[in-house]
Amino acid sequence: MDTSLSPSWLRALVLQSGFLDAYAKAEPYSPEFLKKISGYLDEAGRELWSQLKRGFHSPSDELTLRNAWALAAADPLLGSAVWRSAVPLAERGELPSRDLEKLRTSLLEAKDWRGWLRPIIDRACEASPQIANAEEFTPTLRLRYALAEVTRERLDAVACVDCLREEKRCSRFARQRELSGALRAAKRRSLPIGMMSKQQFFALPVMERLVISTDDFLLQELIDVGAAERATLKTSVDNDSAARRTIRAQLAALIRSSSPYSRTNRNPREGLRLEDKHITAFNKGSERIELGAIDADLRKEFGRRLKTWISTPRSSDGIWIPLSGHAISLIRSICPGTRLPRYLGLAAPDITYRLIDGTLSPKGFRADDLKLLQKSWSDHDRTLLARCGLINVLDKLELAVASTVFPDVVQEADAHGSVVAKQSLSELVKRELCLTEAIQLLAENKCVSLRGALKDAIESGSEKWIEVCHPHFGTDLVKGIYSEPSYRTANALLAFLARESEIKDLGRYRAQLAQSIGLGLTKLRKTGKRSAIGSDAARDLKDFERWVKLGQAYVKSFDGANQLLATALGTKEVLELLKGLGTKHQLSEHLERTLSNENEIDKLYRYRLAHADSGPDLLYILQARPALVVALRPNAAEKLKPDNSVAGTAARVLCFRREPKRLKNLAEVSGELRLRKSVALACSLLQETARDRGYLELTVLLGTRNIRRLAAVLAAMDRDAATGNKLHALYHQYELPKKSGGTRTVSTPDALLKKVQRAILACIVDPLGAHPAAHGFVKGRSIVSNAALHVGSPVVSNCDIARCFPSVRWSLVLGALRRDLGDTLSPAAVSLLVDICTLEGGLPIGAPTSPALLNRVLLKTDELLSAAAEKRGCRYSRYADDLTFSGDHRAVELLGVARRTLAQIGLELDTKKTNIYRRGRRQIVTGLVVNDRVSIPRRLRRRMRAAVHAVEQGKAPTWHGQDEAITSLKGRVAYLRSVNRAEGEKLLRRLQNSGEAGGD
C-alpha cells in the first residue's frame, strides 16, 4: 500500500464519490425519499469501491477492504461509506459476509456514531435522517431536513419559524425558499396547517417577520389574518425593519466614534472610553430612538461592546474624573443587568476616606481605575492610607512615613507582595534604619522580604547590619540571611570564628560555616571558566580560587573541620577542595564514610578513577565499583605508571578494550600467557552480557594475530538486524545446480570474515571433536570410513536431512556452543561467536565453520540414534546430512526413529532421498557400493577408464558427453585411488605417461 494513503485521503475520496451529495439529491418530502437516497448511496458506494481498488493496488477484494477499514475505523462517516461500498460484493459472494457484519457491528457500537448515517449502513432504514446539527452539510440543507422533520404529520407555523431561527447562517431568501418548499410539500400531501395568530407573528424577531412578510405566499398561508389586514401587517413589518436598521446604524456609528483606535490596529486589552461628547451625542440620538425598540439581538450585539465604554472614566490628561449619574443611568438603560462599581461616581478624596473607614475594599478596584486614582491622590492622601495599613493601593511612599509604619511595610511586602512596600523596605535597610524593629520582627515571624533585604545589605558590606546579625548566626532568628553567603560574608564569618573566647556555642558556628562554604561552592559551575553566581565578586577563575582557598583555610583551622565538611558538603564540592589538598587527604576518607547516596558515592569513585596513577590502583577502584568500567577511556592508560604485572596489564586491557590496534601492541609486549591471565582478570569486571567482554574472550582464544581482524568483523555487524543475520553484507551469494534438480544457494564469506571463521574452526570448534558416528569433516574419517561400517549388511537404509545447513537455526547453534563452551566463555562471547558463523538465521553453505558446527549441533542426535541402533543390533553412521543404518530388517525401523529425533530440534528428512537397499541389489552408502567391500560403482569406473584411454589416444576427455579438463579427470582418478588404491594408481600412471597429460 502506498504510504501516502491516509484517513484524510480516504475522506476526500468519500466526499468525491457523492455520499453527502445523496442527501442533497433526494427530496426529504417525497414518499419515495428513502428508496431514492438508497439508490444514490449505492451509486456512491460503487464509485468509492472502484477508487479504492485503484488506490490500494490490492491483489484481492478482501485485502482492499482490510486496508480501507484500517483507515476508516476511527471515523463513523468513513467507516459507513466503506461498509456500503463493500455490501454488493458480499451479496455476490466475493467477500465474506461474516467479516462485513463484524465491521458493521463495531461501527454501530462506536461512541461517536451519528444517527444521520443510518441510511448508509441500513438499506431497510425507515426513519428520515436527522442532519440538523451535522456540520458536514450546508446550513440550507440542514434547514430543509429540519423543516421536513417538523412537517412530517402536520405543518405548524410556529415550529417552522423556530427552525428558521436555529439556522441563522442562512440568508433571508434561502429561508423563504425552504419554507415555501415545505409549505407546498405539505399541501401536496394534504397535511393540516396550523397558522399563527397576529399576536404570535408580532412576537417574532424582526428578521423572521421580514422573511414571512416579504413573500405573499408565506404571508397568506402562515398568518391567520384577513386579506384586508395583510397590507397593514406588511407595512408594519417594513417600518419595524427600517427602524431597526436605523438604530443599529446609529449604535455602530457611536461605537466607531468613541474608539481612539482604527479598525485594523486596535489593542484588544483597552476598552472604549465614554467621554462627555459621546454622552451628548447619544442624548441627542436618544430623543429620536425608542430604547424599547432595541430587540434582544441588538442588545446581544451591542450590549457587550457598550459595556466596555465604562472601563475607566478619565480626562484627557489621565486624572480621575468620576462618571455623572446621567451617564451611568443611560448605560444601564441600554444594557439592563449591568453591574457598575460603586466608586465610579466618587471623587478621588472621597474614595480615600471610603477606603479608610472600610466602606470600599481595595480588592474591588480594577487595575486601570487604581492607576488613575494613584496619579490623582495627594501626598496627604498617601500618608493617611499608609498609616491605616493600605500600602498595597499606593504607587509611592515617602521614606519618613515608611519608617514610622515599618511593621506594616514588612507585612505588606510579605503578604501581598506590594512593590511599593518592597521598594520602601529595601531603601530603609540600605540606609541602615529601623535596626531594633527589624530584629524584633525577625524574632516574631518569617519576614521573607525583610530577610532578603538584610541579606543584600550584609553581602554589600553593611557594618551595622553585620554587627547586629552576626551574634544570631546559625539560629532560626536570621534563617535565610546566611543560607547562601557571598565570599565577603563567608570570609567575615571565618574571621568571626577566630574570636573563640567571645563565642559561646563554637561548635554550632563551625558546623553552620561548613554548610555555608558548601553552599557557596555549589554555586560555582564550569562554563568555560569558574564563576560564583549570586555574589558581588568578579565571575572569573580568580574568584573561584578565593572560594577554594577559603574552604582550605577552614579545613586547616581545627582538627574536626574534615568531618564537618564531609558531612555538610556535597561530593562535588569536596572534590573541588581535594584538588588543592590532594586526593589522599583525610577529607576524602571522611567523605566516603559519611556518604549514603549512591549517586554521591559514584561521583567520589569517578574522581578517584580519574586520578589513579597506577594499574593496580585503577583495578582496585574498579573492583569496588565495577559499573565504572564504562567510564574508562584509552587516554586513562597514559596516566598510569609503567607496570608489567597481571593487574597492571588487566587495567590497560580495560582501557584498550575498544582499541584493537593498541590492544594488539599490548599483547605483543606482554606475551600470550600474561595476556590470557590479564584478560581473565579484566573480564571479571565486565558484565557477562557485555559486548566488550565477549570480544576480549574471543581474542584470547583466537590469538594475537586475529585481534584486529575480529574487531573489524564485529564493527561490520548490523546491530539492528535479526539474530543470525548481522553479517549479511560480508557474504557473496550465488546459485549452483543440484544433481536432483533445482539450485543450491552458496554463501561465500569475504576474505576477512573467512580468515576469522577459519581461526574459530581451528582454535575453538575443531578441538571440541565429534561423535564417533560422525564421519563428515572430521580428521581421519571420510566417506570411505563411513561406508566401510556397513559392508556386508542384509539391509542398508539411508536418508538425507532436508535443507540441512540453512535449517540448523541460530538458536540450535547457540544452544550447542553454550553446552560446549559455557564453562569457559561468557554468554556475550558465545552469542558473538554464533553471529559470526551464521547467516539468515542458519548455517551458511560455504562458510568454513558450518560443517564442524553441524557436528556439534547433532551431537545429541548422534548419541540417541547410535543408542537406538545398538539396541536393535544395527549400525549407524552420519556423513554431514546423510544418515545410514545397516543390519537386519530393523534397520528400516530406524528411519522413523531418525525422523522423530530430528523433529525435536526442528529438522526433517527429505522423503525424495530416503532409500532402502536389501541384499541382492547394489547397496549404496554416500555414493559407494558396500555389498561385499567398499568400491566405486562399476559404471563410474568404466567412464574413468574410457576418459583415460581417450587421453592416451590424443583425444580430449569427456564426461557425460561434455569436454572435461585434465585437472578434473585427475581429481576423479584421485577419488578412485582413495577407495581402491591399486586401480586408482594404475589409471593415474597411465594418465601421467600419456603425452597429453605430460603436456598439460
Side-chain angles (χ1 to χ4, degrees), residues 254-404:
L254 186 58
I255 291 288
R256 288 195 299 270
S257 66
S258 61
S259 176
Y261 305 102
S262 66
R263 187 181 296 270
T264 59
N265 187 22
R266 178 173 296 180
N267 186 351
R269 297 181 62 88
E270 290 287 342
L272 301 174
R273 312 298 182 186
L274 183 63
E275 300 178 6
D276 292 338
K277 62 178 182 179
H278 302 137
I279 297 174
T280 304
F282 195 82
N283 285 340
K284 290 180 180 179
S286 65
E287 295 176 359
R288 302 189 304 272
I289 296 176
E290 179 60 39
L291 296 179
I294 303 180
D295 58 14
D297 289 342
L298 284 182
R299 292 182 186 276
K300 184 177 179 180
E301 179 180 357
F302 290 99
R304 179 176 54 83
R305 302 173 69 184
L306 290 171
K307 201 173 180 179
T308 60
W309 283 7
I310 58 172
S311 62
T312 303
R314 66 177 180 183
S315 64
S316 58
D317 55 356
I319 302 300
W320 178 268
I321 301 295
L323 285 179
S324 65
H326 177 68
I328 294 176
S329 61
L330 186 61
I331 294 299
R332 285 176 176 170
S333 65
I334 297 178
C335 306
T338 300
R339 299 183 63 182
L340 302 179
R342 292 185 298 168
Y343 59 80
L344 290 179
L346 299 177
D350 295 333
I351 294 177
T352 301
Y353 290 111
R354 294 288 183 93
L355 287 172
I356 292 174
D357 62 18
T359 307
L360 292 177
S361 172
K363 296 181 179 179
F365 283 84
R366 294 178 298 191
D368 292 340
D369 297 345
L370 188 58
K371 289 180 181 178
L372 287 181
L373 284 170
Q374 289 171 349
K375 294 180 180 180
S376 304
W377 276 326
S378 64
D379 292 339
H380 177 68
D381 292 332
R382 293 189 180 90
T383 302
L384 292 177
L385 292 171
R387 289 178 177 173
C388 293
L390 297 173
I391 302 174
N392 59 325
V393 300
L394 300 176
D395 59 338
K396 58 183 178 178
L397 182 62
E398 294 183 2
L399 198 61
V401 178
S403 62
T404 61

Side-chain angles (χ1 to χ4, degrees), residues 92-123:
R92 296 196 301 268
E94 299 178 13
L95 283 177
S97 59
R98 183 180 60 183
D99 294 345
L100 203 59
E101 184 61 28
K102 288 182 179 179
L103 301 183
R104 181 176 181 270
T105 303
S106 65
L107 184 65
L108 292 175
E109 292 177 352
K111 294 182 179 179
D112 58 348
W113 189 80
R114 286 155 280 182
W116 63 268
L117 297 172
R118 174 69 68 177
I120 301 181
I121 64 171
D122 190 357
R123 288 181 169 181

Side-chain angles (χ1 to χ4, degrees), residues 49-247:
W49 186 260
S50 62
Q51 295 291 340
L52 291 176
K53 289 285 288 184
R54 287 195 293 270
F56 286 109
H57 306 291
S58 301
S60 66
D61 292 337
E62 185 175 357
L63 188 56
T64 299
L65 178 60
R66 290 180 181 177
N67 292 333
W69 192 261
L71 297 179
D75 191 321
L77 172 61
L78 305 186
S80 303
V82 171
W83 186 89
R84 186 62 173 247
S85 67
V87 165
L89 298 177
E91 293 176 348
R92 296 196 301 268
E94 299 178 13
L95 283 177
S97 59
R98 183 180 60 183
D99 294 345
L100 203 59
E101 184 61 28
K102 288 182 179 179
L103 301 183
R104 181 176 181 270
T105 303
S106 65
L107 184 65
L108 292 175
E109 292 177 352
K111 294 182 179 179
D112 58 348
W113 189 80
R114 286 155 280 182
W116 63 268
L117 297 172
R118 174 69 68 177
I120 301 181
I121 64 171
D122 190 357
R123 288 181 169 181
C125 179
E126 297 180 357
S128 179
Q130 302 290 332
I131 68 171
N133 298 320
E135 295 295 334
E136 289 82 359
F137 300 96
T138 62
T140 304
L141 191 61
R142 290 201 301 266
L143 177 60
R144 182 182 306 167
Y145 274 80
L147 290 172
E149 183 65 25
V150 300
T151 60
R152 186 169 302 278
E153 298 178 356
R154 179 178 184 272
L155 189 146
D156 184 75
V158 177
C160 291
V161 173
D162 290 339
C163 293
L164 297 182
R165 297 196 65 184
E166 291 178 1
E167 288 295 342
K168 292 188 176 182
R169 293 173 58 187
C170 291
S171 65
R172 177 163 62 90
F173 301 105
R175 295 185 195 184
Q176 287 177 341
R177 182 177 65 252
E178 297 301 330
L179 188 56
S180 298
L183 190 58
R184 289 186 172 87
K187 283 181 169 294
R188 286 196 303 271
R189 291 181 292 168
S190 301
L191 295 180
I193 299 176
M195 305 174 72
M196 69 172 68
S197 64
K198 184 170 66 173
Q199 290 77 12
Q200 290 177 319
F201 176 74
F202 279 107
L204 297 177
V206 176
M207 288 304 297
E208 277 62 39
R209 282 186 280 163
L210 195 63
V211 168
I212 297 174
S213 63
T214 54
D215 189 306
D216 293 336
F217 175 69
L218 295 178
L219 186 62
Q220 177 180 352
E221 298 294 334
L222 296 181
I223 311 302
D224 187 12
V225 294
E229 294 182 290
R230 287 176 191 151
T232 305
L233 185 145
K234 188 172 183 180
T235 302
S236 175
V237 172
D238 291 340
N239 294 336
D240 289 346
S241 177
R244 187 182 187 278
R245 287 196 298 270
T246 303
I247 295 172

